[in-house]
Amino acid sequence: MLNRENAVANFKSFIFRNVNYVDLILYQFGSENCEPLHTFGPGIKNHYLFHYIISGRGKLYPVDKDTGACPAYQITEGEGFLITPNTVNTYEADQKHPWTYIWVEFDGLKAKKFLDSIGLSAENPVFHPRTYTPDNEIKEHLTYLVSHPNGNDMELIGHLYLFLNALLENSSAVVTPRSGTLKEFYVREAVNFIEQNYAKNIMPEDVAQWCNLNRSYLGKIFKEIMNSTIQDFLIKYRLNKACEMMRNKNMMLKDVANAAGYPNQFYFSKMFKKEYHMTPREWKNKNSD
């Protein structure tokens, strides 16, 4: 569910906080009409971030984490570039023809597999279309997100899937996707366990025990695939469930806390405020039906 908007003259940004979608998670999206030589970075992102160029041009400077090399990619209208998690990148608008782009930040169990099939990675961060027309499905689905930030969650996630499919269908570097890996199977099992037991007093070691895996190994592959620790994912999942329940104005906060896996209401309020920057009561007053 969208819960914050920041809009200035040439910049729009929207946040999507529903982490119930596990295969593909939408975090935020927006658009920017950049000034000449407008620069971002050097910076690091926690999730995948894709920019699609609507007009103009600019350059991307990713830093190779092994060699420290910093190649320059010239990117123009109809192309795009991918920022991968935990990599250092800088990007800059052209001086004479600064770019305008739409961007989307996402992650999830299947995110890397989708991007691999499109041919996008840290080593190959630039999207080149096979054919290009100003009005195309890639632009259409990203524009829809930015134009309908208050759409329902399933609708927005659906357009994220359609956007990735449009990239796949028009990528000049399509790669045949591999079958699911054993690591993905274990992470899916871990997520399923959390989905079914989040209201109980479960901890990461309980998740590992359910998967019949060493806790440190499961934690490692969970972080690798989900870009989140098991504990952080569990916290965010519980709090998102709490938000769903708080939309019911007749449900008391102590009951919400208990149903979300927090029998201690004070601790629930502390964790909620840390994540949402407001108390549960403040959130409920703003968002209950």
Side-chain angles (χ1 to χ4, degrees), residues 55 76 99 173 176 195-196 200-201 204 246 263:
S55 63
T76 191
W99 51 20
T176 302
E195 290 176 336
Q196 295 172 26
K200 302 174 184 177
N201 186 30
M246 285 192 296

Side-chain angles (χ1 to χ4, degrees), residues 117-171:
S117 67
I118 294 165
L120 290 170
S121 64
E123 295 73 29
N124 298 288
V126 180
F127 168 78
H128 300 286
R130 287 201 299 268
T131 60
Y132 173 67
T133 56
D135 295 317
N136 58 74
E137 290 190 357
I138 299 170
K139 179 181 176 181
E140 174 188 341
H141 295 301
L142 289 178
T143 300
Y144 188 92
L145 290 176
V146 176
S147 301
H148 298 79
N150 294 311
N152 67 63
D153 294 353
M154 190 175 296
E155 178 183 30
L156 296 180
I157 287 288
H159 279 277
L160 177 58
Y161 274 96
L162 290 170
F163 151 69
L164 289 171
N165 183 66
L167 283 182
L168 177 65
E169 291 186 341
N170 201 26
S171 173

Side-chain angles (χ1 to χ4, degrees), residues 158-209:
H159 279 277
L160 177 58
Y161 274 96
L162 290 170
F163 151 69
L164 289 171
N165 183 66
L167 283 182
L168 177 65
E169 291 186 341
N170 201 26
S171 173
S172 63
V174 170
V175 177
T176 302
R178 298 171 296 149
S179 59
T181 66
L182 187 59
K183 289 181 180 180
E184 290 175 343
F185 169 78
Y186 284 132
V187 172
R188 165 56 71 182
E189 287 294 291
V191 170
N192 285 343
F193 180 77
I194 290 171
E195 290 176 336
Q196 295 172 26
N197 296 278
Y198 69 90
K200 302 174 184 177
N201 186 30
I202 61 170
M203 302 293 287
E205 49 264 34
D206 299 310
V207 183
Q209 184 176 3

Side-chain angles (χ1 to χ4, degrees), residues 32-156:
E32 186 164 11
N33 180 12
C34 296
E35 298 293 330
L37 297 179
H38 171 76
T39 303
F40 172 86
I44 297 176
K45 294 293 183 180
N46 294 324
H47 311 289
Y48 294 102
L49 179 65
F50 185 87
H51 291 70
Y52 183 68
I53 314 307
I54 303 299
S55 63
R57 58 177 181 253
K59 289 183 179 180
L60 170 69
Y61 304 92
V63 177
D64 188 296
K65 61 182 178 181
D66 295 321
T67 66
C70 187
Y73 295 92
Q74 177 78 48
I75 306 166
T76 191
E77 179 179 341
E79 298 179 330
F81 61 94
L82 178 71
I83 304 297
T84 54
N86 304 314
T87 58
V88 179
N89 289 269
T90 300
Y91 43 97
E92 179 183 65
D94 187 77
Q95 183 172 12
K96 292 184 178 180
H97 303 284
W99 51 20
T100 293
Y101 49 60
I102 301 176
W103 53 270
V104 59
E105 183 176 1
F106 60 95
D107 217 314
L109 185 63
K110 298 294 185 182
K112 185 177 185 302
K113 177 178 286 188
F114 292 156
L115 292 167
D116 284 347
S117 67
I118 294 165
L120 290 170
S121 64
E123 295 73 29
N124 298 288
V126 180
F127 168 78
H128 300 286
R130 287 201 299 268
T131 60
Y132 173 67
T133 56
D135 295 317
N136 58 74
E137 290 190 357
I138 299 170
K139 179 181 176 181
E140 174 188 341
H141 295 301
L142 289 178
T143 300
Y144 188 92
L145 290 176
V146 176
S147 301
H148 298 79
N150 294 311
N152 67 63
D153 294 353
M154 190 175 296
E155 178 183 30
L156 296 180

Side-chain angles (χ1 to χ4, degrees), residues 206-219:
D206 299 310
V207 183
Q209 184 176 3
W210 168 260
C211 295
N212 198 27
L213 290 176
N214 175 273
R215 177 183 170 180
S216 63
Y217 176 71
L218 179 61

